[in-house]
Amino acid sequence: MTGRARSETQLDAVKEIDPGEETARRVRGSPRRRTVDDSPSWGMALGVSGVLKILVLAALFSWIYHEHYFRLYVMWKNPDWSHGFVIPLFVLYLVNLRRRELVTGDHPGSVWGLVLVLFSLAVFVLGIRFRIGYPQSLSMVAVIAGVVLALRGWRTLKLTLFPIGFLLLAIPPPDRLYRSITQPLQQGAATIASLILEMFPGAEIEQKGINIAYFMRSGEEGSFTVAGACSGMRSLMAFVALGLATAYFTPRPTWHRVAMAVLVVPVALFCNVLRVIITGGFQMYKYGDLASGTPHTVLGLLMFAMGFGIYLGILWILDHLYVEDRGNRAAGST
């Protein structure tokens, strides 16, 4: 028997034995072997020239937008936007998850990237000319997308589009737009909470804007305000970031991800309103010490965990909307 024939015979024998060994391994509960990531590291893929290009581009980008770095730093010190410090790091993590696809294959650049960069810089200059800050900040994200498209092409842009777009969550909108979002959120949470609290035993509720006054049959009375921390931009942005990240990390059809993105805001509003109701109930029934300080913070974390649980429940429902009829499939295959 030749060496080649002997190798083929041994390979066939391995193929015949492997299923049994795999079954035995699963019965024994032995851990699976980890998949070895044989893709080149960032340093190997980029090389010295690639690293230098990135450093030069980063330096040029920082020179153009250095004032906005300080502006964003000041805004991120606001508790409503403190998540801005974490988002760039999270974006780098998302990009690293795609390292294998980004460092392998062909990634030819596109001239449309240069067009996008020039257009974004034009928006930046016009924003300075007319003293409009928000478009200037948005142009930062557009320039990053344009540079990626110009140097690495459409395939790389597609792979990094979600991480790049995620940076938008770190850019605070103009004050007028900010108030137009937060005030209706607080007002809506106060209105719904008042309707629910009115159903509590022995309670009479009177709402004035975001202030809720209560009068109990026992003679207890008081009021509380629906704070922005309970129903405003801070909690909304946290839930939006959680929902979008959950949709991104779970491999599933595109329409599932779109559904998750659409349902982010309703889930956030539900959890926020529930937090207001629980806080109001504590105050109405003489447990005001649970409505502030550390217990109030813990309640916020519990609502955040509840939101995550709701997202997982939605994912489970989406996974079970279509149930394969195995009996019909088996009958059709005979």
Side-chain angles (χ1 to χ4, degrees):
M1 181 181 294
T2 64
R4 180 177 180 181
R6 185 181 299 109
S7 299
E8 292 178 353
T9 302
Q10 293 174 352
L11 180 60
D12 292 338
V14 171
K15 289 182 179 178
E16 292 177 0
I17 295 173
D18 276 348
E21 291 181 350
E22 176 68 13
T23 302
R25 182 185 61 77
R26 292 182 179 180
V27 172
R28 292 194 302 267
S30 58
R32 293 183 177 180
R33 294 181 180 178
R34 294 183 179 179
T35 303
V36 178
D37 186 2
D38 56 354
S39 59
S41 63
W42 287 113
M44 294 176 59
L46 295 173
V48 177
S49 61
V51 173
L52 290 177
K53 288 179 182 179
I54 292 177
L55 292 177
V56 170
L57 290 172
L60 183 60
F61 185 86
S62 300
W63 177 71
I64 295 175
Y65 289 104
H66 66 279
E67 292 185 359
H68 283 271
Y69 284 179
F70 179 75
R71 178 174 177 267
L72 289 175
Y73 170 76
V74 173
M75 290 184 172
W76 290 348
K77 292 173 68 176
N78 185 325
D80 285 358
W81 292 96
S82 57
H83 60 275
F85 290 105
V86 181
I87 284 182
L89 300 177
F90 183 66
V91 166
L92 293 177
Y93 171 73
L94 293 178
V95 172
N96 186 64
L97 291 179
R98 295 282 194 173
R99 177 169 56 88
R100 175 186 291 272
E101 299 161 278
L102 291 172
V103 301
T104 57
D106 296 330
H107 297 263
S110 173
V111 69
W112 288 105
L114 180 60
V115 174
L116 179 56
V117 170
L118 294 177
F119 174 78
S120 304
L121 292 177
V123 171
F124 175 69
V125 173
L126 290 175
I128 296 176
R129 173 67 177 80
F130 294 101
R131 297 182 180 180
I132 306 176
Y134 193 51
Q136 299 178 45
S137 299
L138 294 180
S139 69
M140 299 172 66
V141 180
V143 166
I144 294 174
V147 170
V148 171
L149 179 58
L151 297 180
R152 299 284 291 176
W154 293 102
R155 180 167 176 248
T156 299
L157 180 62
K158 180 180 178 181
L159 292 172
T160 58
L161 187 59
F162 179 83
I164 293 174
F166 207 79
L167 290 171
L168 295 174
L169 297 180
I171 300 179
D175 289 340
R176 181 179 299 179
L177 178 60
Y178 178 81
R179 289 193 297 269
S180 67
I181 296 175
T182 55
Q183 290 179 355
L185 287 177
Q186 290 178 266
Q187 182 69 34
T191 301
I192 297 175
S194 298
L195 295 175
I196 302 299
L197 291 173
E198 186 74 34
M199 302 178 186
F200 280 31
E204 182 178 345
I205 302 298
E206 181 178 341
Q207 177 199 354
K208 293 182 180 179
I210 60 175
N211 297 313
I212 299 177
Y214 58 89
F215 306 91
M216 309 298 292
R217 291 178 183 175
S218 60
E220 182 76 16
E221 63 179 54
S223 64
F224 61 93
T225 301
V226 179
C230 294
S231 60
M233 183 65 72
R234 186 191 314 177
S235 55
L236 178 62
M237 293 303 298
F239 276 108
V240 168
L242 172 65
L244 293 179
T246 303
Y248 178 78
F249 280 117
T250 53
R252 55 186 57 255
T254 302
W255 74 272
H256 281 196
R257 299 180 186 229
V258 173
M260 286 295 298
V262 171
L263 292 173
V264 162
V265 174
V267 172
L269 295 179
F270 170 78
C271 293
N272 288 338
V273 170
L274 184 59
R275 183 181 181 183
V276 173
I277 293 172
I278 294 175
T279 302
F282 284 151
Q283 294 198 16
M284 290 164 54
Y285 292 99
K286 300 181 181 181
Y287 293 98
D289 54 332
L290 298 178
S292 60
T294 301
H296 186 66
T297 302
V298 172
L299 178 61
L301 295 176
L302 291 176
M303 292 298 101
F304 194 76
M306 174 180 288
F308 183 69
I310 293 175
Y311 289 137
L312 294 181
I314 293 174
L315 292 176
W316 184 89
I317 293 174
L318 291 174
D319 288 336
H320 292 78
L321 283 178
Y322 172 77
V323 180
E324 184 178 8
D325 192 345
R326 296 181 179 179
N328 292 339
R329 183 178 178 183
S333 61
T334 58

